[in-house]
Amino acid sequence: MFKAKRSRAHFTAYYDGEDLVGFTYLIVGHNVNYLMYLAVNDRIRSKGYGTQILTHLKATYPAQTLVLEIEHPDPKATNAKQRFARLQFYLKNHFHQTPHLAADGPVTYQLLATDPKVDPAVIYRHHFRWFAWPLGWLYPAPKQIK
């Protein structure tokens, strides 16, 4: 929440009337915006709110690439069905899978982007390290699928 008070971090809540439908936490800058969180109220999922939120973000920042990470789709994972559904959601919303992976403990994440040629070093250098300051130097460069 401390970083949300900075100009590079945009924490936004989305409503349908009086009802909170979801929120995003976006780090902006350097022609690439990193979507750290997109959450939609689980009681109203599959009603188009996530798509509307992504559409809003893309319209708000039309000249910037939007990137995010999801748990790498792995058929052996205990939540394999959820991972696959999440991937399908983002592909349907015009994101592309990139070959870039990053490990965080036992979980491997895959970078998705509206521009498949995005340079993952930009995300790590300008977004994660800013977000994690003063410990940003601990974040490794992403691993690429072989």
Side-chain angles (χ1 to χ4, degrees):
M1 292 304 292
F2 171 75
K3 289 288 185 173
K5 296 177 184 192
R6 304 284 189 215
S7 63
R8 286 193 60 195
H10 297 184
F11 183 75
T12 307
Y14 297 87
Y15 291 86
D16 185 353
E18 297 288 319
D19 299 323
L20 176 66
V21 297
F23 72 89
T24 57
Y25 195 148
L26 187 72
I27 300 174
V28 298
H30 300 285
N31 298 319
V32 175
N33 294 335
Y34 180 77
L35 183 58
M36 287 195 67
Y37 297 104
L38 165 60
V40 174
N41 183 333
D42 60 350
R43 294 177 300 190
I44 56 172
R45 281 198 188 125
S46 301
K47 295 190 180 202
Y49 289 112
T51 294
Q52 288 179 46
I53 291 169
L54 289 174
T55 299
H56 168 75
L57 289 174
K58 289 186 243 178
T60 303
Y61 306 97
Q64 294 178 291
T65 298
L66 186 58
V67 299
L68 56 90
E69 289 182 305
I70 62 170
E71 290 176 300
H72 181 60
D74 179 356
K76 297 175 189 167
T78 57
N79 65 342
K81 186 176 177 182
Q82 180 185 50
R83 290 179 184 203
F84 182 75
R86 191 173 292 128
L87 173 62
Q88 293 309 306
F89 166 76
Y90 286 113
L91 293 176
K92 178 186 88 165
N93 283 284
H94 310 288
F95 281 80
H96 304 274
Q97 285 180 281
T98 73
H100 305 289
L101 299 178
D104 186 11
V107 180
T108 299
Y109 293 92
Q110 182 171 20
L111 188 70
L112 304 181
T114 54
D115 177 358
K117 297 177 184 163
V118 69
D119 179 2
V122 170
I123 291 104
Y124 284 86
R125 186 170 46 250
H126 296 293
H127 292 66
F128 280 160
R129 289 189 179 165
W130 172 83
F131 182 77
W133 182 88
L135 301 176
W137 57 272
L138 293 173
Y139 283 95
K143 295 180 209 172
Q144 189 164 344
I145 298 174
K146 294 181 175 150

